[in-house]
């Protein structure tokens, strides 16, 4: 689709709208010629007296529509940028809705955090008014508006318990037994990169030592800790023990609200590793089956079966972890609404107090996209999610965090569900951007939050690069230190 931007450069908002409303259309930027271009949009932004107005003219195969939207500008320049994107999104959506005669589940919302919009509306007029405005202004369906309000409310409660010097700590272990077909993360198969694990840990130990000193110097308190990947439990019991001991030696974990370790793949779990995790006061483990259907497991490249997941959960329950999370993905290759429902029912019966329901994200670097795997259509994914919501609520679960990603099937969402007392605080902190997240390890993305701004610093992306570039690790920490020095000025 030919896109002409006048008075602005808000490409991101428009490209996200294209993904949702015109899947398969690729943006081409330039001057629109209505007589020659068959699919086009002209989006004009003007500002006057602290208000922004956006008008979208949209044409497709001889049909056309137009929509204008006016919005006040206020706050910091960072906040105004968000308001401009909001106006562009609403204007484009209005024109597309009139032209196509359809409206997706999330309406005009294209960002990864719908609860951010809900939170802003709650602050302006309360939860009931916010839910109404999500439906009427943003054209969000009632079910999705409810999810956004509930996630925003969980964020409000979590924020009320934070102190100004609280941060979270993330450590990444970028190794997996095999690479899943849907994955585009920087995670290497252990069988192909076994020789990198020990050098990687040595480099990580150096970064942990430096980061621990920095956190002490800045007077910061680690509120939550999360070890992800990859699959952290690809490490041996001894390696995990050494890693957790190094962390305890360099960070004060005395005030931790939670300590979470991803143990996502059942073929990496054994009783010895679980004893190590319990000995280091792990409060939550994540077992991520994604499905309980053997044919779907095979289709996504898992080398284990549903029986292996059942065995792993028996071991986890026997180890008496306070909290257990399990993940499912709606829309995996070879899955069906009936198969997804069976998986969800069984996962609920296993006793996890925290269940995350993801929607498949069609990532460009994944094997699904490279090989053209057959995946369920948007209507089938909708059936899966429509089964999950009432079923989880019936069994005492409530939604507490919510986010969306690019290229999601049907432009739906990922939702974390919890029983009372099982909330995963780290998930809220990072999704609602409530405080800084210091990330260590390959591919780590440190998020610095404070003073009305959000900044990021990135570690080396690949394990080999991370090992060989200590200067990149130091730069990540220096950016973190510089940010907090600026906050104190």
């Amino acid at each position: 689709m030919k896109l002409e931007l006048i008075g602005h450069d808000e490409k991101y908002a428009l490209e996200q709208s294209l993904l949702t409303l015109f899947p398969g259309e690729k943006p081409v930027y330039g001057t629109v010629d209505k007589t020659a271009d068959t699919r086009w949009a002209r989006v004009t932004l003007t500002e006057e007296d602290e208000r922004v107005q956006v008008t979208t003219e949209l044409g497709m195969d001889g049909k056309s529509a137009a929509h204008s939207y006016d919005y006040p500008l206020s706050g910091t320049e960072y906040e105004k940028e968000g308001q401009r994107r909001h106006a562009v999104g609403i204007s484009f959506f209005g024109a597309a809705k009139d032209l196509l005669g359809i409206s997706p589940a999330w309406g005009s919302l294209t960002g990864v955090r719908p609860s951010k919009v809900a939170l802003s509306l709650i602050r302006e007029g309360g939860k009931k008014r916010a839910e109404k405005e999500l439906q009427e202004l943003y054209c969000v369906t009632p079910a999705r508006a409810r999810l956004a309000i509930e996630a925003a409310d969980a964020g409000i409660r979590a924020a009320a318990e934070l102190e100004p010097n609280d941060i979270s700590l993330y450590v990444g272990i970028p190794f997996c037994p095999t690479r899943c077909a849907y994955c585009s993360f920087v995670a290497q198969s252990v069988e192909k990169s076994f020789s990198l694990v020990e050098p990687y840990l040595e480099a990580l130990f150096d970064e942990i030592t430096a980061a621990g000193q920095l956190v002490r110097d800045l007077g910061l308190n680690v509120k939550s800790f999360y070890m992800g990947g990859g699959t952290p439990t690809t490490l041996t019991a001894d390696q995990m023990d050494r890693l957790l001991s190094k962390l305890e030696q360099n960070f004060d974990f005395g005030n931790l609200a939670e300590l979470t370790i991803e143990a996502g793949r059942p073929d990496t779990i054994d009783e010895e590793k679980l004893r190590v995790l319990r000995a280091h006061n792990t409060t939550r483990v994540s077992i991520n089956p994604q499905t309980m259907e053997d044919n779907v497991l095979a289709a996504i490249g898992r080398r284990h079966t549903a029986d292996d997941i059942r065995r792993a959960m028996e071991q986890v329950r026997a180890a008496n972890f306070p909290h257990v999370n399990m993940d499912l993905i709606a829309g995996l290759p070879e899955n069906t609404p009936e198969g997804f429902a069976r998986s969800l029912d069984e996962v609920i019966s296993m006793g996890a107090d925290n269940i995350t329901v993801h929607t498949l994200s069609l990532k460009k670097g994944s094997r699904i996209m490279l090989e053209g795997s057959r995946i369920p259509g948007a209507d089938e994914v909708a059936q899966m999610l429509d089964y999950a919501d009432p079923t989880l609520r019936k069994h005492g679960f409530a939604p507490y965090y919510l986010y969306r990603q690019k290229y999601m099937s049907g432009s739906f969402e990922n939702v974390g569900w919890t029983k009372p007392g099982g909330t995963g605080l780290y998930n809220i902190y990072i999704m609602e951007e409530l405080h800084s997240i210091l990330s260590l390890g390959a591919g780590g993305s440190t998020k610095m939050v404070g003073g009305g701004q959000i900044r990021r610093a990135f570690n080396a992306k690949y394990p080999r690069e991370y090992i060989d570039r200590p200067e990149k690790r130091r730069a990540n920490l220096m950016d973190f230190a510089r940010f907090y020095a600026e906050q104190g000025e």
Side-chain angles (χ1 to χ4, degrees):
M1 179 178 287
K2 175 71 74 65
L3 299 177
E4 182 177 359
L5 281 55
I6 302 174
H8 67 102
D9 192 33
E10 295 292 348
K11 293 180 180 178
Y12 179 80
L14 291 174
E15 289 172 2
Q16 292 301 296
S17 295
L18 280 182
L19 286 172
T20 302
L21 297 160
F22 300 96
E25 289 286 339
K26 296 183 179 180
V28 177
Y29 295 95
T31 301
V32 167
D33 182 345
K34 295 182 181 180
T35 60
D37 296 318
T38 57
R39 299 187 174 201
W40 55 268
R42 178 180 289 146
V43 186
T44 303
L45 184 150
T46 58
E47 290 184 29
E48 186 176 354
D49 298 328
E50 290 298 295
R51 297 190 72 86
V52 59
Q53 184 177 61
V54 180
T55 298
T56 297
E57 304 168 80
L58 184 62
M60 177 169 281
D61 302 330
K63 298 180 181 179
S64 63
H67 187 86
S68 293
Y69 184 70
D70 179 88
Y71 195 76
L73 294 171
S74 61
T76 65
E77 185 54 38
Y78 176 82
E79 291 169 327
K80 289 180 180 178
E81 287 179 11
Q83 292 156 9
R84 294 184 188 102
R85 283 194 297 272
H86 159 74
V88 168
I90 289 283
S91 174
F92 186 89
F93 175 81
K97 183 170 177 280
D98 291 344
L99 184 69
L100 300 173
I102 61 171
S103 181
W106 283 102
S108 64
L109 295 184
T110 58
V112 299
R113 299 178 181 87
S115 54
K116 284 282 188 182
V117 177
L119 177 60
S120 178
L121 294 174
I122 289 171
R123 286 172 173 166
E124 291 174 6
K127 287 189 282 189
K128 287 186 177 180
R129 179 181 168 186
E131 192 167 351
K132 182 179 179 182
E133 287 197 26
L134 283 171
Q135 295 177 52
E136 295 181 354
L137 174 60
Y138 294 90
C139 298
V140 176
T141 65
R144 265 63 188 190
R146 182 185 182 187
L147 281 176
I149 295 299
E150 289 170 314
D153 193 43
I156 291 170
R157 294 194 302 272
E161 298 177 355
L162 289 173
E163 298 294 335
N165 67 331
D166 284 342
I167 65 167
S168 287
L169 180 66
Y170 176 89
V171 167
I173 305 299
F175 302 100
C176 278
T178 58
R179 189 177 182 87
C180 293
Y182 55 80
C183 184
S184 66
F185 287 134
V186 181
Q188 295 189 233
S189 168
V190 167
E191 63 187 14
K192 294 181 179 180
S193 57
F194 179 78
S195 62
L196 289 179
V197 177
E198 276 297 333
Y200 178 81
L201 287 176
E202 291 177 14
L204 182 58
F205 289 174
D206 287 343
E207 189 180 25
I208 287 170
T209 300
Q213 184 63 55
L214 176 60
V215 167
R216 289 193 298 274
D217 291 344
L218 294 173
L220 300 175
N221 172 61
V222 180
K223 180 75 171 180
S224 73
F225 171 79
Y226 193 102
M227 188 185 297
T231 306
T233 43
T234 52
L235 299 180
T236 66
D238 174 70
Q239 289 168 337
M240 182 65 76
D241 184 42
R242 286 189 282 129
L243 174 53
L244 289 171
S245 295
K246 176 64 73 171
L247 285 159
E248 291 163 352
Q249 291 162 12
N250 287 277
F251 292 93
D252 181 2
F253 281 177
N255 296 317
L256 274 183
E258 62 180 17
L259 193 159
T260 301
I261 308 288
E262 285 191 2
R265 303 277 286 266
D267 42 344
T268 68
I269 297 170
D270 59 40
E271 292 179 355
E272 184 183 9
K273 291 180 187 179
L274 295 176
R275 282 195 296 270
V276 168
L277 298 185
R278 287 295 286 131
H280 287 279
N281 301 312
T282 299
T283 59
R284 181 189 308 272
V285 292
S286 294
I287 311 297
N288 304 328
Q290 316 306 6
T291 178
M292 296 298 293
E293 302 283 290
D294 282 336
N295 66 312
V296 181
L297 288 169
I300 64 175
R302 293 286 185 100
R303 291 185 177 175
H304 62 81
T305 66
D307 278 343
D308 294 321
I309 299 166
R310 297 177 186 110
R311 171 198 57 78
M313 274 300 291
E314 288 177 2
Q315 293 176 327
V316 167
R317 283 198 299 263
N320 292 317
F321 288 94
H323 304 290
V324 180
N325 179 77
M326 298 187 80
D327 285 8
L328 293 176
I329 299 178
L332 288 172
E334 305 303 327
N335 209 354
T336 63
E338 295 77 17
F340 178 85
R342 286 193 296 268
S343 293
L344 180 62
D345 290 345
E346 183 166 4
V347 163
I348 291 172
S349 73
M350 287 180 176
D353 65 345
N354 201 293
I355 296 174
T356 306
V357 178
H358 295 274
T359 300
L360 178 66
S361 180
L362 301 173
K363 298 172 182 177
K364 293 180 180 178
S366 68
R367 192 154 49 82
I368 287 176
M369 295 298 288
L370 295 175
E371 297 178 358
S373 301
R374 188 193 73 79
I375 57 174
D379 289 345
E380 291 177 287
V381 175
Q383 291 178 51
M384 298 176 192
L385 299 178
D386 288 346
Y387 179 81
D389 188 304
T391 301
L392 285 160
R393 291 182 190 276
K394 181 179 71 175
H395 286 88
F397 290 83
Y400 75 95
Y401 85 103
L402 161 71
Y403 69 104
R404 301 171 72 202
Q405 295 169 276
K406 283 186 178 181
Y407 312 114
M408 296 184 82
S409 295
S411 295
F412 290 117
E413 68 282 328
N414 304 317
V415 182
W417 296 82
T418 183
K419 287 189 173 181
T423 299
L425 292 171
Y426 177 88
N427 294 323
I428 297 179
Y429 296 154
I430 194 166
M431 288 303 158
E432 300 301 321
E433 299 177 323
L434 297 182
H435 66 198
S436 296
I437 310 286
L438 176 58
S439 295
L440 310 180
S445 173
T446 290
K447 184 178 292 186
M448 294 160 278
V449 179
Q453 60 178 315
I454 297 173
R455 293 215 306 253
R456 289 172 172 81
F458 300 94
N459 235 329
K461 190 173 183 181
Y462 299 99
R464 181 78 266 173
E465 181 188 14
Y466 175 82
I467 293 166
D468 292 341
R469 295 190 61 191
E471 74 281 1
K472 182 67 174 174
R473 303 196 296 268
R474 289 193 293 269
N476 185 27
L477 296 178
M478 288 174 63
D479 285 345
F480 191 81
R482 192 176 301 116
F483 178 83
Y484 276 90
E486 292 171 4
Q487 301 304 305
E489 292 177 353

